[in-house]
Amino acid sequence: MKQYLKLDEWSIIEEGFDPHTHEISESVFSIGNGFMGQRANFEEAYSGSSLQGSYMAGVYYPDKTRVGWWKNGYPEYFAKLLNSTNWIGIDIEFDGTPLDLAKCTVKDFVRELNMKEGFLSRRFTAVMEDGKELKVEAIRFVSIVRHEIGAIRYAVTPLNFNSEITITPYLDGDVKNKDSNYDEKFWLEVFKEAAHGSAAVTVKTKKLDFHVTSVMSYTILKNGEKLELQAELVEKEKYAGNRVSVPVSEGETVTTYKYVANVTSRNHGLGELVEAARAVLEPAAEASFEQLLKEQADAWGDKWKESDIVIEGDVAAQQAIRFNIFQLNQTYSGEDDRLNIGPKGFTGEKYGGSTYWDTEAYCLPFYLSTADASISRNLLIYRYKHLEKAKENARKLGFTKGALYPMVTMNGEECHNEWEITFEEIHRNGAIAYAIYNYVNYTGDFSYLGQYGLEVLVEISRFWEERVNYVAAKDQYMMLGVTGPNEYENNVNNNWYTNRIASWTMEYTLDVLEYLKENENARYEELTAKLALQEAETTKWQDIIGKMYYPLDEELGVFLQQDGFLDKELVPVRELDPVHLPLNQNWSWDRILRSVYIKQADVLQGLFFLGDQYDLATKKRNFDFYEPFTVHESSLSPCVHSILACELGYQEKAYEMYLRTARLDLDNYNNDTEDGCHTTSMAGTWMSVVHGFGGLRVKDGVLHLNPFIPGHWSSFSFKVMFRGSRLKVSVKGNETIIVNETETPALLNVSGKEFSIDGFGEITAAAK
Ligand code: BGC
């Protein structure tokens, strides 16, 4: 871990260029707008180590599975978010020598991610091998207003020489994924055209026929005066650009404005891509860079109004939480229900950019509280649309009915191929059911149940019904051969969390059936007929609910993570020599599997989800027992611990856990940020503040808050949207002040007291 980024409330700042941390910075300084994302690669050529990454949401490649030992049921492919056309490229040469920071002495390098206004900037002075010294200032962003537009301003000033500068703005579709299974390129050329002042490239994927078209235009100014230049048109395989030469004297600044439209066949007809790109490019280029940047700043201003968290008295914490919120808003904007949130967002290739249970278990609460309900509804509809595929997936694994959602997916099909995860980590089905409950409970949108929710719940319940087995001798239902959320155990019997979430799904499904029967009877009849739901099934679910086996140690008063857990050597993590940590980099898999150490919240995940079903004493006993064995080697772990610790009044522990999640990428805690940021766990960090320190829960349609200020902060505030109102909650000293920023009144319970707050009203409550 190397802390090299400067602390600042609104920006991420890197001072000085170190090629060793460049790939980490490429991840951290990524920009995105929910439709495309771009790692912080340099515009000009760079021959040092770099992970190139320009990503278009939803454009993926089914890369043929590569395994040593094929097992029946494995998916044919692993889906990968594609590194797409490099649209940022602007090559710079002086008298034929390329500017390449790997071959220069770099001075006064500053890279800044301005989170308030949503842009990336970079400035530096480079001394080239022949002594030429020049200054560069570059800014770029992808517009959150015009989703297909990216814009760059790139200014170069020679400091000690006169020369000819050659500038080549280009589009290059001849790119690769680093994680390609067979080292093949995934793109084929469809069209390219270099014209004076513009260029266009269309590429398509070798499989699935995704097309991506990029069209660029540019202008070049010297000392603020626009130049009319003759360009050399350059076309190569999947590449088109303009090569322009400008004589420049010491102290003169040559500025290139490059505007690019990136469009895909996901949103436009195949025959119209170039036209569609031109149609969005022209008005953007006409509007000018400054105007686009202003639009961007205003739009980000609006986003911050909805989702900002202010922490006073701790700049590191302030910067971190804003970074997390910024990345989440850059990754998913919720307008397109075919899109989702990959564990790395648009910041790297790892995890393939695919959808995991992370979305339902960790990300949904962030979008529920910081955006219109339609946004989180779209996250649920995404899974509804995959229901048929989830049913196929269950059939493929030998189930006669029900749906098993995939652990990893792009289009509803499973595309993960580690048996212990693909076949066994079935608890994900529970998170998808839980998300429906969470959404309805938070928003009060009961219409979702009849429209979409019930079908998913019934099919998941059917899966659980068939996945459990009845043990007559014990008159109980068991679930054998699973992997729980703690992936440091495989093929265990009766993982408490999985058994519990399975049974809970059936309970909730029965409740929803009851609700629809009473409140939307015609729809109930229609749906039960469509689903061919038999009374025998619901009776069976009742039976399973009543007789589900939950491993438990009565003496300790704790739920057992799985059968036999107490037979392990119970040595807490604090007694391990730290040289062993992280275990996944130091121990054999065999040793990890046999050990007591827990990768991430497992029993505690259940106590977190189903928090209102367990009393504090139960939560405390389980937390006290499991936390000491937990190594938090998944970035999704500390947040759950932080939230539970808050509830239990373990304030120091809560803060310690919060710190492990908040600056995970900024401080590269897990030594892997170069692969991309831990985007889905960022939502967990947000939850640590709002659900943890803020104590947010929704009970019977009422928003409950139970805030306390971590000792290291002087105050904090956050915004939450709740059933039409937007509330700013500020916690300061002994007071919680809540301002309603909308005209919709709200009912609240703050630190145990009921309040009603009028439109644009304000209340003050005593904090804990
Ligand atoms: C975690 C999973 C998670 C995945 C993607 C793994 O390390 O154990 O729970 O879904 O990462 O974030």
Side-chain angles (χ1 to χ4, degrees):
M1 181 172 94
K2 179 182 168 211
Q3 282 171 305
Y4 66 97
L5 300 170
K6 263 193 77 181
L7 296 182
D8 184 276
E9 291 189 349
W10 276 109
S11 283
I12 309 301
I13 301 168
E14 176 184 10
E15 287 179 345
F17 178 58
D18 179 354
H20 299 106
T21 47
H22 176 54
E23 285 180 81
I24 299 171
S25 294
E26 285 182 325
S27 304
V28 169
F29 290 79
S30 292
I31 51 175
N33 64 3
F35 290 80
M36 58 175 148
Q38 173 64 50
R39 280 172 62 86
N41 310 128
F42 294 157
E43 285 87 357
E44 74 280 357
Y46 181 64
S47 58
S49 293
S50 161
L51 175 66
Q52 208 182 37
S54 300
Y55 309 108
M56 303 300 295
V59 175
Y60 68 94
Y61 194 76
D63 199 11
K64 195 168 153 19
T65 301
R66 191 180 182 123
V67 283
W69 188 356
W70 187 265
K71 294 186 171 56
N72 277 347
Y74 269 170
E76 298 294 321
Y77 67 88
F78 190 97
K80 289 176 178 160
L81 183 68
L82 282 179
N83 180 24
S84 304
T85 299
N86 167 7
W87 60 270
I88 61 167
I90 304 178
D91 281 343
I92 303 290
E93 291 163 44
F94 291 100
D95 298 328
T97 308
L99 171 65
D100 173 353
L101 291 201
K103 295 186 177 150
C104 299
T105 305
V106 185
K107 301 196 294 191
D108 305 327
F109 179 95
V110 181
R111 179 158 27 190
E112 178 176 351
L113 185 64
N114 182 319
M115 301 185 287
K116 192 172 191 178
E117 301 187 351
F119 64 85
L120 168 68
S121 69
R122 183 167 58 109
R123 57 178 191 274
F124 57 87
T125 300
V127 185
M128 296 178 62
E129 277 168 340
D130 59 4
K132 286 196 181 81
E133 193 164 336
L134 58 119
K135 196 171 87 186
V136 171
E137 288 189 350
I139 289 194
R140 70 167 182 251
F141 59 93
V142 288
S143 173
I144 62 168
V145 181
R146 307 172 193 232
H147 294 146
E148 293 165 324
I149 292 292
I152 306 170
R153 185 176 73 204
Y154 192 97
V156 188
T157 312
L159 297 178
N160 64 351
F161 64 100
N162 305 329
S163 165
E164 185 166 76
I165 173 172
T166 305
I167 303 169
T168 309
Y170 65 88
L171 302 167
D172 184 7
D174 194 24
V175 292
K176 283 175 72 161
N177 264 54
K178 191 175 168 189
D179 66 356
S180 164
N181 280 348
Y182 297 88
D183 204 29
E184 61 169 334
K185 289 188 177 172
F186 299 141
W187 295 104
L188 296 171
E189 179 179 301
V190 176
F191 170 79
K192 67 178 171 232
E193 181 187 76
H196 286 281
S198 70
V201 169
T202 299
V203 284
K204 71 167 191 171
T205 51
K206 284 186 184 163
K207 293 181 199 162
L208 297 183
D209 216 30
F210 283 113
H211 281 53
V212 173
T213 294
S214 303
V215 176
M216 69 164 207
S217 68
Y218 66 94
T219 50
I220 296 181
L221 282 70
K222 186 150 81 175
N223 292 338
E225 293 290 314
K226 189 170 170 202
L227 302 176
E228 294 304 331
L229 295 160
Q230 216 27 46
E232 180 194 335
L233 307 182
V234 195
E235 289 184 1
K236 293 186 264 183
E237 197 197 341
K238 301 175 217 156
Y239 176 109
N242 276 203
R243 208 174 133 84
V244 182
S245 292
V246 184
V248 60
S249 306
E250 186 179 318
E252 288 185 327
T253 300
V254 178
T255 307
T256 305
Y257 290 95
K258 181 178 179 186
Y259 305 94
V260 184
N262 292 307
V263 303
T264 78
S265 52
R266 291 182 61 259
N267 297 319
H268 302 276
L270 279 189
E272 303 152 7
L273 285 165
V274 176
E275 251 168 64
R278 292 211 164 106
V280 288
L281 180 66
E282 275 161 29
E286 262 165 39
S288 89
F289 185 85
E290 276 65 34
Q291 170 61 24
L292 296 179
L293 193 57
K294 179 165 184 322
E295 271 177 24
Q296 177 83 344
D298 291 346
W300 271 104
D302 291 343
K303 284 236 183 257
W304 286 114
K305 260 185 220 152
E306 292 170 345
S307 53
D308 194 18
I309 290 181
V310 179
I311 296 171
E312 278 171 7
D314 186 342
V315 187
Q318 175 66 82
Q319 180 183 45
I321 193 68
R322 286 206 171 116
F323 178 66
N324 292 339
I325 295 169
F326 183 70
Q327 289 293 359
L328 288 165
N329 280 329
Q330 291 207 110
T331 306
Y332 183 75
S333 58
E335 287 118 297
D336 184 340
D337 66 19
R338 297 165 301 166
L339 296 178
N340 209 279
I341 306 151
K344 302 268 163 203
F346 296 119
T347 67
E349 294 174 1
K350 204 167 170 203
Y351 294 114
S354 316
T355 308
Y356 283 64
W357 75 306
D358 303 27
T359 296
E360 285 77 15
Y362 296 90
C363 300
L364 183 74
F366 170 79
Y367 297 101
L368 274 176
S369 290
T370 63
D372 187 75
S374 60
I375 307 288
S376 25
R377 200 172 207 262
N378 273 352
L379 281 175
L380 303 194
I381 291 176
Y382 174 92
R383 295 292 193 176
Y384 175 79
K385 287 189 165 174
H386 290 176
L387 183 57
E388 288 309 309
K389 293 263 194 242
K391 283 157 70 177
E392 272 170 35
N393 189 38
R395 285 329 146 266
K396 194 171 154 190
L397 301 192
F399 294 87
T400 63
K401 62 181 196 168
L404 174 61
Y405 277 92
M407 186 64 185
V408 181
T409 194
M410 277 291 187
N411 66 349
E413 284 166 19
E414 178 63 79
C415 62
H416 194 285
N417 55 31
E418 285 170 69
W419 64 268
E420 62 276 27
I421 292 177
T422 309
F423 304 141
E424 291 204 329
E425 214 177 323
I426 51 176
H427 68 79
R428 69 225 185 204
N429 243 13
I432 289 163
Y434 183 79
I436 297 174
Y437 160 79
N438 204 2
Y439 168 81
V440 175
N441 185 45
Y442 193 93
T443 60
D445 175 13
F446 285 86
S447 74
Y448 187 80
L449 297 171
Q451 252 177 304
Y452 303 105
L454 181 74
E455 288 174 68
V456 171
L457 290 170
V458 164
E459 296 297 354
I460 294 180
S461 290
R462 283 174 166 163
F463 169 81
W464 291 129
E465 175 193 330
E466 209 169 296
R467 185 61 171 77
V468 296
N469 60 297
Y470 179 64
V471 182
K474 297 181 175 160
D475 191 24
Q476 281 188 309
Y477 290 89
M478 308 238 164
M479 202 166 345
L480 310 181
V482 304
T483 295
N486 168 23
E487 291 177 345
Y488 286 179
E489 302 274 358
N490 300 149
N491 206 40
V492 299
N493 293 337
N494 295 309
N495 170 257
W496 181 84
Y497 171 77
T498 309
N499 285 15
R500 185 68 201 98
I501 205 74
S503 175
W504 174 87
T505 306
M506 290 180 255
E507 289 163 29
Y508 182 54
T509 307
L510 292 173
D511 287 351
V512 171
L513 280 165
E514 203 53 43
Y515 169 84
L516 290 174
K517 194 174 180 179
E518 272 174 33
N519 298 284
E520 291 178 39
N521 196 263
R523 182 67 181 147
Y524 168 82
E525 295 294 341
E526 195 183 333
L527 278 172
T528 46
K530 179 178 174 193
L531 290 159
L533 186 66
Q534 308 295 313
E535 209 184 312
E537 291 182 291
T538 53
T539 311
K540 179 83 191 214
W541 298 346
Q542 304 270 21
D543 197 46
I544 297 171
I545 293 166
K547 294 180 185 164
M548 182 66 101
Y549 163 72
Y550 298 111
L552 171 82
D553 186 86
E554 290 193 10
E555 215 170 292
L556 292 170
V558 298
F559 304 121
L560 291 186
Q561 190 179 270
Q562 73 253 1
D563 283 347
F565 187 81
L566 289 181
D567 298 340
K568 288 169 182 281
E569 216 180 315
L570 300 173
V571 180
V573 183
R574 65 172 175 276
E575 286 176 29
L576 267 186
D577 186 333
V579 296
H580 296 288
L581 298 170
L583 299 182
N584 62 17
Q585 287 171 22
N586 293 295
W587 280 15
S588 71
W589 191 237
D590 161 68
R591 194 171 174 192
I592 289 178
L593 288 180
R594 284 184 287 113
S595 81
V596 72
Y597 302 114
I598 301 171
K599 181 183 182 190
Q600 68 200 90
D602 194 302
V603 168
L604 299 186
Q605 182 75 37
L607 296 181
F608 164 61
F609 271 175
L610 307 178
D612 54 356
Q613 302 194 359
Y614 297 95
D615 60 24
L616 269 187
T618 307
K619 289 181 193 172
K620 184 172 177 327
R621 280 194 307 275
N622 283 280
F623 187 94
D624 293 349
F625 180 74
Y626 284 108
E627 196 277 331
F629 300 125
T630 308
V631 286
H632 305 290
E633 289 179 13
S634 161
S635 63
L636 300 173
S637 184
C639 61
V640 174
H641 288 79
S642 180
I643 297 167
L644 284 173
C646 285
E647 198 179 332
L648 296 172
Y650 296 162
Q651 300 194 354
E652 282 299 316
K653 188 74 192 171
Y655 194 67
E656 176 200 323
M657 289 292 116
Y658 168 76
L659 286 183
R660 282 184 78 137
T661 119
R663 295 189 61 88
L664 187 72
D665 291 311
L666 293 179
D667 294 339
N668 192 17
Y669 261 127
N670 285 5
N671 236 336
D672 61 359
T673 300
E674 65 276 13
D675 296 336
C677 294
H678 299 79
T679 309
T680 48
S681 86
M682 293 181 182
T685 311
W686 177 91
M687 273 201 284
S688 305
V689 176
V690 176
H691 292 234
F693 305 141
L696 182 144
R697 306 282 187 277
V698 175
K699 296 180 193 162
D700 300 323
V702 176
L703 188 74
H704 285 238
L705 297 164
N706 203 11
F708 80 90
I709 308 180
H712 313 257
W713 302 353
S714 55
S715 73
F716 74 107
S717 73
F718 56 90
K719 305 268 184 106
V720 283
M721 305 227 200
F722 184 69
R723 304 197 178 188
S725 63
R726 188 177 69 222
L727 306 170
K728 180 175 179 195
V729 180
S730 307
V731 191
K732 207 174 202 151
N734 294 326
E735 288 185 336
T736 304
I737 299 163
I738 300 166
V739 177
N740 188 348
E741 298 184 336
T742 54
E743 61 184 11
T744 312
L747 281 181
L748 290 173
N749 182 306
V750 188
S751 305
K753 274 200 186 143
E754 306 269 311
F755 291 87
S756 78
I757 177 164
D758 296 336
F760 301 108
E762 180 176 326
I763 57 154
T764 302
K768 266 202 273 194

